[in-house]
């Protein structure tokens, strides 16, 4: 079914895979679609060190407030490129009183003031609007949501944390090394009952754990592409995020052109295909006809089986899933999924078809065909369907698909991303939900392990969800459906957006007053990197992968994304509830240090970086203030100064750090890093970082992305770590940085690495955060 090629491979004439060509690899690399798009957007003149300017930006309502606030603090006057602000995450005022809608009012006034596009709540999920109205051949789009993927339309799109969008808003660039490109060579045609989620899960299952496409571009080519509808391609494409790739791109054809014509944007079509000879750094060879209906069992999209395998071995597979739960949750909750087996088959409690992955027109039409004339029953099983946009919703009304669904007992709702990140349709305790959405991380469906609540989500395609619903919750492959698929034509009605969406057409109105509700707060002031650092390890996580959902929960925190201090109180709450209190305790020492230094030197907090001993006339006063606020720090300093007498709290910052084996899988949300910084975090320490976007978020918030080799750690949770000369090491591009674990009256030396950093990234770390960096460069 699928083959992962070892090493690179040539693609000849767009169809023939070969290990050889007369054209050198470096020259043939220029034959990929990705290379040519990157070249068109690169401003550096050097294709090995890219400085990308994007064609457009997208954000939703749990990211755009922070982005615009950061940009305002850094000198924003207008949006210099199209910027679409959608409202598909914080759409329900379920928590926080009025503050969700306050964010929307802020978004509308910001779009008017700075010249953007504002899509009101329930009109469209972020990625569907971008597909319908923004993406086009040869473009590049940057979004503050990790599933920013429009490769099927010919757009290289990337999901990053908010600070990367701030850079674009301020006329700066997205700086990366030229990424490797991996071909996804498709052949054959999908069998009846197989949908895009099935193909996507098959690929994720093959490449996630081995990192085959990590931080690379996936380029979909081969004769099988023409056998896929546009909705099918889009459904596969959006899930490439779960492989940890950087971006994706597809060859385009007459179906792509027709898609854009339907949406009134035929001028945005561009024919994209590999050149006669193209060299790829890897190749995933996939026969579409061999893919069967799949299921990603809890608690990760890579935990993939065929539905037939689960039905044949439910006890064994559910036991494996319960074991994964024990790794994630320990003894906090008891997960008993085997209780869901009845008469030898898994019976689920809930079905959801929603969002940027599941809410497409073709997915819902096929689901309606499978369910037509059936009943989902009057038991515990429920089925909720969320069309991805109001134009899709209208067409489903017009062709009768919604009527078929409603008659079965399903509930049809408006465009909303809630089921994907835990703000809607939270199942009951110990329930099992099947969803055509993007992720099934622990707690992402909205349960709260810290309060003894847990439910589990598996990912499936809409067709098999519908087949399961037709059997009233009994897990069923869509291959068991023997009927026909009507495949009605799609007609896009642009009037819906014309009547409701605010589009400035790129013209700002500087006289518009930004309306800030009481929960919209500025970022706290942050200090530059000091000469030395003293860090306390306040959390130690040894899970194989730590997701951004575990670093900052989704769902119930959404209403507080515009309030940095309030949001920070949720950091690691699902993974390590003690973290916030421990970090805040350490922060008392740094707050006292900064206050005393400001008093003694007359400098602002933002200018305290790099102070040396001679900069402060009475360093003992500083040490006394720190010791009063955090007595254990005074004791640690005494140990340190026996070996390094030049270290003083006049030149040594105090902060917290966490260790995690592989943090940062999942969402692009910058708050996974910024919340740690708000609580006084100065670094993460890891064996590796799961995604580029999480590492970038750390850097943009002035946090050091340290690396240590796998194996026995030189420190444990609760230890203090001294990093002398850290500022000089960062500025001097040192490959290794000396550090000491301070404990038990001794200092154990070890080495930290930072990995590759651009010059700008080093300056951001030295300045303490992106806001300070832009303040200095105004």
């Amino acid at each position: 079914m699928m083959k992962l090629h070892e090493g690179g491979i040539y693609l000849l004439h767009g169809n023939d895979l070969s290990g050889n060509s007369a054209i050198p690899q470096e020259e043939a690399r220029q034959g990929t679609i990705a290379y040519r798009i990157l070249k068109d957007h690169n401003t550096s003149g050097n294709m090995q060190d890219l400085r990308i300017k994007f064609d457009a930006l997208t954000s939703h309502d749990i990211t755009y407030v922070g982005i615009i606030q950061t940009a305002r603090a850094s000198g924003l006057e207008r949006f210099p490129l199209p910027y679409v602000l959608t409202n598909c995450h914080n759409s329900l005022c379920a928590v926080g009183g009025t503050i969700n809608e306050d964010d929307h009012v802020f978004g509308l006034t910001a779009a008017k003031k700075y010249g953007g596009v504002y899509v009101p709540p329930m009109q469209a999920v972020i990625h569907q609007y971008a597909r319908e109205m923004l993406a086009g051949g040869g473009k590049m789009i940057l979004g503050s949501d990790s599933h920013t993927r429009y490769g099927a339309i010919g757009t290289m799109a990337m999901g990053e944390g908010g600070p990367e969008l701030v850079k674009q808003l301020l006329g700066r660039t997205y700086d990366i090394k030229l990424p490797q490109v991996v071909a996804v060579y498709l052949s054959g045609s999908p069998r009846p009952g197989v949908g895009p989620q099935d193909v996507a899960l098959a690929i994720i299952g093959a490449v996630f754990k081995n990192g085959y496409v990590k931080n690379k571009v996936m380029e979909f080519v081969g004769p099988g592409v023409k056998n896929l509808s546009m909705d099918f391609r889009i459904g596969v494409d959006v899930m490439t995020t779960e492989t940890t790739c950087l971006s994706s791109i597809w060859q385009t054809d007459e179906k792509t052109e027709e898609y854009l014509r339907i949406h009134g944007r035929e001028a945005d079509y561009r024919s994209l295909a590999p050149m006669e000879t193209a060299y790829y750094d890897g190749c995933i060879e996939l026969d579409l006809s061999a893919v069967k209906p799949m299921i990603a069992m809890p608690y990760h999209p890579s935990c993939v089986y065929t539905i037939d395998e689960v039905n044949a071995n439910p006890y064994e597979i559910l036991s494996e899933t319960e074991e994964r739960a024990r790794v994630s949750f320990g003894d906090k909750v008891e997960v008993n999924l085997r209780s869901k087996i009845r008469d030898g088959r898994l019976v689920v409690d809930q079905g959801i078809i929603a969002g940027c992955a599941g809410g497409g027109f073709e997915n819902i039409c096929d689901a309606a065909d499978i369910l037509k004339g059936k009943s989902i029953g009057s038991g515990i099983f429920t089925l909720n369907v969320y069309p991805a946009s109001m134009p899709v919703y209208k067409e489903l009304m017009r062709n009768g698909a919604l009527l078929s669904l409603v008659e079965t007992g399903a509930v049809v709702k408006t465009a909303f991303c809630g089921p994907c990140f835990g703000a809607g349709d939270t199942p009951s305790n110990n329930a099992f939900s099947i969803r055509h959405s993007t992720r099934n991380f622990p707690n992402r469906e909205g349960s709260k392990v810290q309060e003894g609540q847990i439910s589990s989500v598996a990912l499936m395609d809409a067709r098999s969800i519908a087949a399961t619903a037709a059997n009233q919750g009994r897990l069923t492959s869509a291959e068991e459906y023997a009927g026909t698929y009507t495949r009605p034509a799609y007609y896009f009605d642009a009037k819906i957006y014309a009547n409701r969406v605010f589009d400035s057409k790129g013209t700002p109105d500087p006289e518009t007053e930004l309306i800030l509700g009481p929960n919209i707060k500025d970022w706290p002031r942050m200090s530059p990197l000091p000469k030395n650092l003293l860090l306390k390890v306040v959390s130690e996580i040894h899970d194989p992968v730590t997701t951004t959902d575990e670093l900052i929960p989704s769902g119930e925190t959404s209403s507080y994304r515009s309030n940095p201090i309030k949001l920070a109180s949720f950091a690691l709450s699902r993974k390590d509830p003690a973290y916030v209190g421990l970090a805040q305790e350490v922060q008392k020492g740094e707050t006292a240090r900064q206050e005393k230094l400001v008093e003694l030197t007359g400098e602002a907090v933002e200018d305290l970086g790099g102070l040396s001993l001679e900069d402060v006339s009475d360093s003992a006063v500083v040490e006394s203030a720190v010791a009063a606020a955090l007595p254990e720090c005074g004791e640690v300093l005494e140990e340190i100064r026996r070996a390094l007498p030049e270290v003083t709290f006049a030149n040594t910052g105090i902060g917290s750090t966490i260790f995690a084996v592989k943090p940062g899988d999942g969402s692009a949300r910058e708050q996974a890093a910024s919340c740690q910084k708000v609580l006084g975090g100065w670094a993460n320490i890891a064996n590796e970082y799961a995604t580029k976007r999480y590492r970038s978020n750390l850097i943009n918030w002035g946090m050091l992305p340290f690396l240590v080799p796998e194996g026995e750690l030189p420190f444990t949770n609760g230890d203090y770590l001294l990093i002398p000369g850290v500022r000089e090491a960062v500025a001097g591009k040192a490959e290794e940085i000396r550090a000491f674990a301070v404990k038990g009256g001794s200092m154990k030396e070890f080495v930290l690495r930072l990995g590759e950093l651009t010059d700008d990234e080093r300056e951001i770390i030295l300045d303490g955060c992106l806001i300070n960096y832009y303040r200095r460069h105004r």
Side-chain angles (χ1 to χ4, degrees):
M1 178 179 79
M2 191 179 314
K3 176 182 178 181
L4 305 185
H5 289 255
E6 294 184 11
I9 197 164
Y10 286 92
L11 179 66
L12 308 178
H13 316 298
N15 282 319
D16 301 327
L17 293 173
S18 172
N20 300 293
S21 172
I23 299 177
Q25 290 180 9
E26 288 307 312
E27 181 181 344
R29 275 192 171 94
Q30 300 178 30
T32 66
I33 303 169
Y35 183 95
R36 300 200 303 279
I37 295 176
L38 288 168
K39 183 178 181 181
D40 288 345
H41 291 80
N42 180 36
T43 65
S44 72
N46 178 359
M47 282 300 292
Q48 299 307 308
D49 291 298
L50 303 177
R51 291 181 176 268
I52 301 295
K53 285 203 169 184
F54 289 85
D55 297 298
L57 306 176
T58 59
S59 290
H60 51 61
D61 47 348
I62 56 174
T63 57
Y64 67 60
V65 176
I67 290 167
I68 294 169
Q69 288 288 73
T70 301
R72 287 180 65 219
S74 305
L76 176 70
E77 294 181 356
R78 61 174 295 163
F79 297 155
L81 71 170
Y83 188 14
V84 175
L85 311 178
T86 65
N87 295 276
C88 51
H89 279 60
N90 234 16
S91 305
L92 301 179
C93 292
V95 289
T98 69
I99 61 181
N100 291 24
E101 191 62 18
D102 288 347
D103 287 354
H104 301 155
V105 172
F106 173 90
L108 177 58
T109 56
K112 291 180 177 180
K113 184 178 185 67
Y114 298 117
V117 177
Y118 175 84
V119 182
M122 310 299 179
Q123 288 294 305
V125 301
I126 179 172
H127 304 308
Q128 185 67 14
Y129 184 87
R131 295 163 189 155
E132 294 171 350
M133 303 298 291
L134 200 62
K139 290 184 178 182
M140 291 191 72
I141 293 176
L142 183 66
S144 56
D145 184 272
S146 58
H147 291 98
T148 306
R149 291 285 191 269
Y150 316 127
I153 305 168
T155 295
M156 277 188 67
M158 300 175 183
E160 283 281 0
E164 291 298 332
L165 277 78
V166 172
K167 293 176 184 177
Q168 296 288 311
L169 290 174
L170 299 176
R172 301 299 180 113
T173 56
Y174 179 74
D175 302 341
I176 56 171
K177 295 290 185 182
L178 179 68
Q180 292 188 341
V181 183
V182 173
V184 185
Y185 184 87
L186 303 179
S187 61
S189 299
R191 61 177 74 189
V194 168
Q197 188 81 322
D198 298 315
V199 174
L201 293 178
I203 294 172
I204 294 164
V207 304
F208 174 79
K209 291 185 175 75
N210 58 25
Y212 190 78
V213 297
K214 181 180 176 180
N215 294 332
K216 301 173 186 177
V217 178
M218 298 175 71
E219 185 160 307
F220 288 78
V221 295
V225 172
K226 70 176 184 299
N227 299 326
L228 302 179
S229 69
M230 282 303 295
D231 265 16
F232 202 113
R233 299 179 201 183
I234 286 167
V236 175
D237 185 62
V238 71
M239 291 298 293
T240 59
T241 296
E242 303 311 316
T243 67
T244 70
C245 75
L246 178 71
S247 186
S248 63
I249 192 68
W250 292 59
Q251 65 186 48
T252 60
D253 54 21
E254 63 277 1
K255 290 183 180 177
T256 320
E257 187 172 18
E258 174 69 3
Y259 177 90
L260 288 166
R261 187 197 64 75
I262 289 169
H263 290 85
R265 297 194 296 117
E266 54 264 56
D268 285 332
Y269 174 72
R270 181 175 165 187
S271 178
L272 301 174
M275 295 178 70
E276 284 296 293
T277 301
Y279 181 79
Y280 294 90
D281 299 287
C283 179
I284 303 165
E285 196 173 351
L286 176 61
D287 178 1
L288 293 164
S289 66
V291 178
K292 292 178 65 64
M294 309 293 290
I295 181 170
M297 296 293 282
Y299 297 91
H300 197 275
S302 64
C303 299
V304 174
Y305 306 84
T306 67
I307 293 175
D308 289 346
E309 286 175 321
V310 175
N311 280 331
N313 303 287
Y315 283 97
E316 177 184 343
I317 291 173
L318 288 171
S319 293
E320 292 173 358
T321 304
E322 290 172 357
E323 184 58 35
R324 284 195 294 273
R326 278 188 282 274
V327 170
S328 292
F329 307 135
D331 59 0
K332 297 175 186 174
V333 291
E334 181 180 353
V335 178
N336 182 11
L337 298 180
R338 284 172 291 175
S339 65
K340 304 296 179 184
I341 300 173
R342 294 165 205 162
D343 299 324
R345 291 280 287 272
L346 172 61
V347 178
V348 304
D349 303 293
Q350 182 192 65
I352 304 284
I353 300 170
C356 58
F361 177 76
E362 192 173 287
N363 290 331
I364 296 174
C365 286
D366 284 0
D369 287 338
I370 292 171
L371 277 163
K372 190 174 181 65
K374 305 290 197 309
S375 167
I376 70 168
S378 57
I380 195 170
F381 179 82
T382 60
L383 176 64
N384 290 338
V385 179
Y386 294 77
S389 70
M390 287 307 294
V392 171
Y393 192 106
K394 178 187 176 183
E395 190 59 20
L396 293 167
M397 285 194 293
R398 192 191 67 80
N399 69 23
L402 294 191
L403 177 62
S404 295
L405 289 169
V406 170
E407 285 178 342
T408 71
V411 176
V412 180
K413 302 182 179 182
T414 49
F416 180 44
C417 295
C420 183
F421 72 98
D425 298 292
T426 303
S428 60
N429 188 54
N430 203 49
F432 194 106
S433 176
I434 52 174
R435 302 188 176 194
H436 191 159
S437 60
T438 54
R439 290 199 175 114
N440 61 338
F441 295 164
N443 312 122
R444 194 173 178 91
E445 77 299 324
S447 59
K448 297 181 179 180
V449 171
Q450 68 273 25
E451 296 179 15
Q453 304 169 14
I454 182 62
S455 52
S456 304
V457 168
L459 300 182
M460 284 171 48
D461 188 81
R463 292 147 194 83
S464 291
I465 292 174
T468 300
N471 277 337
Q472 300 182 3
R474 190 168 179 257
L475 185 67
T476 305
S477 163
E479 285 194 307
E480 295 187 24
Y481 172 65
T484 60
Y485 294 99
T486 58
R487 298 289 160 81
Y490 179 68
Y491 301 94
F492 175 75
D493 185 356
K495 293 194 303 291
I496 294 173
Y497 292 149
N499 288 336
R500 190 69 188 99
V501 171
F502 170 77
D503 186 352
S504 71
K505 307 296 184 184
T507 302
D509 178 7
E511 301 305 313
T512 299
E513 181 182 354
L514 281 179
I515 299 178
L516 289 82
N519 190 61
I520 298 177
K521 304 296 185 182
D522 291 329
W523 292 102
R525 299 169 76 179
M526 298 179 187
S527 166
L529 182 67
K531 185 174 183 177
N532 313 307
L533 272 180
L534 182 63
L535 304 178
K536 185 174 184 179
V537 182
V538 293
S539 185
E540 187 177 348
I541 304 170
H542 289 275
D543 291 3
V545 178
T546 303
T547 69
T548 46
D549 284 71
E550 292 169 306
L551 294 167
I552 181 63
S554 55
E556 80 272 21
T557 66
S558 296
S559 290
Y560 304 109
R561 295 292 171 85
S562 304
N563 186 330
I565 303 297
K566 179 68 175 178
L567 181 64
S569 68
F570 291 91
L572 270 78
S573 59
R574 291 177 179 171
K575 192 65 190 173
D576 186 354
Y579 164 77
V580 170
L582 292 172
Q584 288 174 329
E585 190 66 22
V586 177
Q587 192 175 27
K588 291 178 183 178
E590 177 64 5
T591 299
R593 187 186 86 91
Q594 289 184 13
E595 289 176 349
K596 187 56 66 174
L597 285 174
V598 168
E599 176 187 324
L600 292 172
T601 66
E603 299 282 356
V605 167
E606 297 91 335
D607 298 318
L608 291 178
L611 280 173
S612 60
L613 184 61
E614 58 270 19
D615 292 316
V616 178
S617 58
D618 191 357
S619 61
V621 175
V622 182
E623 292 170 14
S624 177
V626 172
L630 188 61
E632 67 183 18
C633 255
E635 298 168 8
V636 171
L637 182 63
E638 288 183 15
E639 290 185 27
I640 291 171
R641 289 174 70 170
R642 283 195 284 269
L644 299 170
E646 69 275 14
V647 174
T648 162
F649 286 136
N651 59 28
T652 302
I654 304 161
S656 57
T657 187
I658 68 169
F659 169 80
V661 173
K662 188 178 179 180
D665 185 28
S667 172
R669 67 178 74 107
E670 65 181 278
Q671 295 94 344
S674 67
C675 285
Q676 295 176 56
K677 186 59 183 268
V678 166
L679 292 168
W682 268 111
N684 274 194
I685 305 174
N687 297 143
E688 67 173 302
Y689 291 94
T691 58
K692 175 202 170 297
R693 56 185 173 268
Y694 177 66
R695 184 174 182 271
S696 294
N697 285 337
L698 291 173
I699 293 165
N700 285 325
W701 283 104
M703 297 181 69
L704 294 145
F706 285 133
L707 292 165
V708 292
E710 291 185 40
E712 185 175 345
L713 288 175
F715 55 81
T716 59
N717 198 22
D719 287 352
Y720 274 92
L721 310 179
L722 174 69
I723 311 170
V726 64
R727 185 177 181 89
E728 182 180 356
V730 172
K733 303 182 181 180
E735 293 186 6
E736 296 185 349
I737 299 178
R738 184 176 63 149
F740 297 89
V742 186
K743 57 181 177 180
S746 66
M747 292 175 57
K748 180 178 181 180
E749 186 171 350
F750 65 102
V751 171
L752 292 166
R753 293 180 177 271
L754 275 176
E756 195 167 283
L757 293 169
T758 68
D759 289 346
D760 284 349
E761 287 175 333
R762 290 180 185 277
E763 285 197 51
I764 292 166
I765 290 173
L766 291 171
D767 287 340
C769 63
L770 192 67
I771 295 173
N772 289 356
Y773 173 81
Y774 282 124
R775 172 179 168 269
R776 189 167 63 83
H777 283 83
R778 280 185 192 174

